Amino acid sequence: MAVALPRSRSPLAAVRQYYEDELGWPTTGAEPVELPTGVRFDALDLPADAGRAVLGRVGPTGPVAIVRGGSAGPRMLVLVAAGSAEELPELLEWLEWGSLRLDLTARGTGDRMPAPSPPPPSPHAWRPYGSGPREAAGWVRPPEPGSEVEATLPTTGTGAGRGGHGVPLADRQGRAPDLVRLVSAAATECHRARLLRCRQARRQTDRGYGGQPFAFSNASRISAGTRPRSLTL
């Protein structure tokens, strides 16, 4: 009598199961698998070169993904608390970045992001569905299954300026900066990266770019910790 062998789980099914069962995040029904934003989290969207600089400045954050492809080059998505996308325009105005053109947006309600392949259980583990260069997205800082990921995401709620959720950063092991500090650093690095790209493309001095000054807002410098000492209150 023939015995039916169990069918191997497809890569897409494994991806969907990881997000829905292990993290409790909804996924789209279409393929490739995507994650709706505005439900459990939003995502800051910025160029990958600026994103790498931000991660080097602000230290630990929530989960971070890199999205490949597209004419503008790779993008970095930094997960933040749900509802943050609606706050971004006003927050940039408050930080005095509203008058400058920044390649910094946010994905919120009604948007989505590619679902990166789940990280392996250990750095040396074999991953059946891989994270090669052909994949649309990959985790730079993956979420941690078994923990409440949303509780570690930057927010401007009651704990703004204190690491979010009313708990000092020191008491939360420095897991995530609040949204104000994160957006301040992101705006600064997006502006810097744009000007550096202009310098490389035009081979001109800083004063020769398209009329936009190489300057950073005072509010942003205070929040990001880069304001000149002579101007610090």
Side-chain angles (χ1 to χ4, degrees), residues 11-12 32 66-70 74 114-117 127-139:
L12 289 175
I66 188 166
V67 179
R68 306 175 182 90
S117 290
R127 179 185 296 174
Y129 21 85
S131 59
R134 291 180 295 176
E135 286 196 331
W139 285 115

Side-chain angles (χ1 to χ4, degrees), residues 105-129:
T105 58
R107 304 190 189 194
T109 303
D111 299 322
R112 58 187 62 182
M113 62 174 280
S117 290
S122 69
H124 304 291
W126 175 68
R127 179 185 296 174
Y129 21 85

Side-chain angles (χ1 to χ4, degrees), residues 22-25 40 63 142-152 175:
E22 296 190 37
L23 295 179
W25 291 356
R40 304 298 296 269
E144 298 180 3
S147 63
E148 188 180 354
V149 177
E150 292 78 15
T152 68
R175 286 179 294 179

